[in-house]
Amino acid sequence: MRFYKIMIALLLLSSCKKSEPIVITPNDYHNAVDKVVEIMVHDIFSPPVASRIFAYPNIAAYEIIAMQNPRYKSLSGQVSELTNIPKPKTPDHINFELAALIAHMDLSRQLVFSEDQMTSYSDSLYDIWEHKNPEIFRNSKAYALEVNKHIAQWMNADNYKQTRTMSKFNIDSNDIARWEPTPPSYMDGLEPHWNKIRTFVLDSASQFKPIPPPIFSMEPDSQFHKELVEVYDISNKITEEGDTSEEIQIAQFWDCNPYVTVTRGHLMFATKKITPGAHWIGITKIASKKSNMNFEDTVYAHTKTSIAIFEAFISCWDEKYRSNLVRPETLINKYVNDSWKPILQTPPFPEYPSGHSVASGAASIALNSIFGDDFQFDDDTEQRFGLPTRSFNSFEQAANEAAISRMYGGIHYRAAVEVGVKQGRDLGIFVVNNLNMLNE
C-alpha cells in the first residue's frame, strides 16, 4: 500500500509541474550557423552555391521575426518574387524566436548534402525544448515548417535546379587569352551558368557589369603584360622572405578555397576550408557579438549580409564567364617559368573579376550599414585552420585586404582585385539602398 501511495504522489507532482519558458539567445543562432558552416566545409560547396545556402535560411528566419516584431519590415515585395509568409493561427502560443531558429535549421538541412548531421544537431535541441514546454515547442515548430514550405517553394523557382543539368563550360584551347583548367587537379570551370540564378534585389546579373579587363597582350609594354609580370615579381619577392612575410600571411588568411588538392608523390588528397562568403558570415557573427545584439538583430544582420553576398556572386560570375580570362599561373608556366607555382592554389574558374573581392566589397557595405564605417574588430574566423587572428579598424579595411590577398597569392591580376572590390561596393550600396528592412 505504501508503494502505491508514493507512486500516486509522484504522478500528482509530475502533473502539477509547470512548463518552463524556452529562451532563445543570439548564441543559439550563432551556433546553428556555425554548424551549417561545419557541414558545408565537409560537403565541399563552391563559393556561389555556398552563398545560396546562407541566404535562404536567413531570409526564412528573418521573415518570421518580421511577422511578430514591428521594428522589422518583411522582404515580401522587396525581394524578387517573394510573397508574404503564412500568418500563424495561434500567435499567442508561439515563440517566434524559437520558430525562426527552427526555420533556419530546417531549411539549412534541406540545402546541404549531409542532412543527417543537421538533423542530429537540431533533434538534440528539439528534445530539450520539448521537455521544457511541449505546447510552445510543437506550435513553434509547426509554424516554422509551414513557413519553410512557403520559402522553399519560392526558393526552388530560382533556376538553381535547372542549372544542375546544363552543359559544362567549353574550353577554347586555341586561344591563349582564354581560361583553361589549372593544376594540380585541372577541374572543369565551376558554375558557368550561375548568372541564370534569380537575383534578390538586382534587376539582372549584369546590372553591375564591370569595365572589361585590360586587353590581352603579351607585348612587354602592354597593360596586361605589366600586370602579369607584377604577379610573378610579387610572388618571387614574398616567397624569398618566407612564411613570415606579411603578404603571405594575408594571402593565407583570406585563402577561403573550399577544396585544395595536395599531392605527395603518387598520393593526392584534399584539404577543406570555408568559402569567402562563410568568412564574411563569420565576421558578421564577430560584429554581432561585440555589439551585444539581441536575437532578432542578429538575424537581421545575417540576413542583410548574406543577401549582399548572394547578389555579389551572381554579378561576379556573370562577368567571369563573359570575359573568360586566363589565370596568371597558366601564362607564367607557359612563357616565363614552367616550375612556378602561386602561393595559393588557383581555383577552377576564369580570372576576372576576383570573386573574393566582389563578395568582400558587397559584404563590407552591408556591414557598414548595420555597424558603422569605423567598426574595429578582431577576426578570428580562420583560427580553426591554424591561422592567427587579424585585427581591422573597419570592414572597408578588411575588404581591401581580402582583395589584395588574391594578388599576393598569385591567382589574380591587379585589375581583377581593384575592379572587383569596386564592383562589390557599388552593388552593396544598391542592395542597402533598396532593402528597407527597419521601421525607424
Side-chain angles (χ1 to χ4, degrees), residues 332-333 336-342:
I332 291 172
N333 286 166
V336 183
N337 182 346
D338 61 6
S339 63
W340 180 84
K341 292 181 180 180

Side-chain angles (χ1 to χ4, degrees), residues 115 119 201 236 315 396 403:
E115 292 186 39
T119 298
V201 186
N236 288 338
S315 179
E396 180 180 7

Side-chain angles (χ1 to χ4, degrees), residues 30 109 213 396 398 414:
H30 295 312
R109 175 190 58 78
E396 180 180 7
R414 181 175 291 277

Side-chain angles (χ1 to χ4, degrees), residues 192-211:
H193 304 288
W194 199 252
N195 65 343
K196 298 178 179 66
I197 300 295
R198 178 187 60 202
T199 56
F200 287 146
V201 186
L202 305 186
D203 61 26
S204 68
S206 61
Q207 182 177 353
F208 285 89
K209 177 182 177 181
I211 60 172

Side-chain angles (χ1 to χ4, degrees), residues 251-381:
Q252 292 173 340
F253 184 79
W254 294 101
D255 183 12
C256 302
N257 188 339
Y259 188 93
V260 175
T261 305
V262 180
T263 54
R264 295 285 187 272
H266 296 292
L267 179 66
M268 180 178 289
F269 59 94
T271 60
K272 303 175 183 180
K273 293 184 179 180
I274 57 175
T275 61
H279 191 129
W280 281 97
I281 291 296
I283 291 174
T284 306
K285 170 186 172 180
I286 291 167
S288 299
K289 294 183 80 168
K290 182 176 179 180
S291 300
N292 294 317
M293 278 188 159
N294 62 25
F295 180 87
E296 294 167 320
D297 282 345
T298 297
V299 174
Y300 158 69
H302 279 76
T303 304
K304 195 172 191 179
T305 304
S306 64
I307 288 175
I309 293 170
F310 178 86
E311 300 288 69
F313 277 106
I314 295 177
S315 179
C316 178
W317 251 244
D318 177 60
E319 179 58 35
K320 274 188 179 293
Y321 285 95
R322 176 172 38 246
S323 54
N324 187 17
L325 187 61
V326 64
R327 290 277 184 170
E329 183 173 14
T330 302
L331 293 179
I332 291 172
N333 286 166
K334 282 184 179 180
Y335 299 106
V336 183
N337 182 346
D338 61 6
S339 63
W340 180 84
K341 292 181 180 180
I343 291 165
L344 302 180
Q345 189 169 118
T346 302
F349 32 79
E351 191 272 342
Y352 184 87
S354 157
H356 209 328
S357 302
V358 181
S360 296
S364 69
I365 293 295
L367 290 167
N368 279 351
S369 72
I370 301 166
F371 300 99
D373 296 343
D374 300 316
F375 189 90
Q376 190 281 328
F377 64 98
D378 299 322
D379 186 357
D380 60 359
T381 309

Side-chain angles (χ1 to χ4, degrees), residues 237-257:
K237 177 180 179 295
I238 62 181
T239 301
E240 289 174 3
E241 295 174 3
D243 291 341
T244 59
S245 162
E246 174 75 359
E247 291 87 352
I248 289 180
Q249 292 179 21
I250 289 172
Q252 292 173 340
F253 184 79
W254 294 101
D255 183 12
C256 302
N257 188 339

